[in-house]
Amino acid sequence: MTEEPKDHAAPSGDTVPPSPPVISVMLIVPDADAAVAWYKTALGATELWNLGGVAGLEINGAAFFLHEVNPQNPAETSPGQAGFTSTRIEIFTDDPDEVVERAAAAGAVAGADIEDHRMPWGTHRQGGFTDPFGHKWSVGDRSPLGPFPPR
């Protein structure tokens, strides 16, 4: 039995509030299959789905997406093709050192060393790497994830 799609504009008796929006990133890569394999090995990503050239992954519930370079759309180019990246992806974890070490062991290029940074909310431990596809990653502890000043 198939379910008819709901007309979201029509009033209903449902009182379930809508889900809040979710922010994610789509990384443009030259080879989606190689990127899927690398992110699984280096960062422990789980594959949600793979359409061949486009894939959905997640790391501990945080979804992100990969899309192979599309020659028909010059706005979708990889950092390697463009010669730069304008976005930094951030991972917040209990053990930033372990994440950076694992990524480096899988072929990432080391970036800033993991260091303690003085921030208004206290110490923030952060460093980073560049993945084999040219994307820059910052890896830090979870300290920036709460409101400041505390409520």
Side-chain angles (χ1 to χ4, degrees):
M1 176 175 195
T2 60
E3 186 175 318
E4 292 294 319
K6 286 187 177 183
D7 178 358
H8 293 287
S12 73
D14 294 343
T15 58
V16 177
S19 297
V22 175
I23 295 174
S24 186
V25 297
M26 179 170 286
L27 304 178
I28 308 301
V29 296
D31 182 337
D33 289 335
V36 165
W38 192 86
Y39 291 118
K40 288 167 98 174
T41 298
L43 302 178
T46 302
E47 188 173 310
L48 298 171
W49 48 266
N50 191 330
L51 304 178
V54 182
L57 302 172
E58 73 172 350
I59 298 173
N60 293 326
F64 67 104
F65 305 92
L66 304 176
H67 195 298
E68 249 175 47
V69 170
N70 178 358
Q72 310 302 320
N73 185 351
E76 293 186 357
T77 187
S78 70
Q81 287 180 313
F84 62 90
T85 183
S86 65
T87 303
R88 180 177 75 198
I89 301 97
E90 303 220 8
I91 296 179
F92 300 101
T93 179
D94 293 329
D95 190 351
D97 298 273
E98 188 275 330
V99 172
V100 171
E101 288 167 10
R102 183 174 175 176
V109 175
D113 290 337
I114 300 279
E115 295 178 345
D116 292 343
H117 301 271
R118 292 182 59 95
M119 303 303 289
W121 60 83
T123 302
H124 176 52
R125 188 157 177 75
Q126 182 174 335
F129 63 87
T130 301
D131 71 28
F133 313 100
H135 298 284
K136 296 195 179 301
W137 293 73
S138 288
V139 183
D141 64 33
R142 298 177 191 276
S143 66
L145 297 180
F148 182 81
R151 295 183 187 146

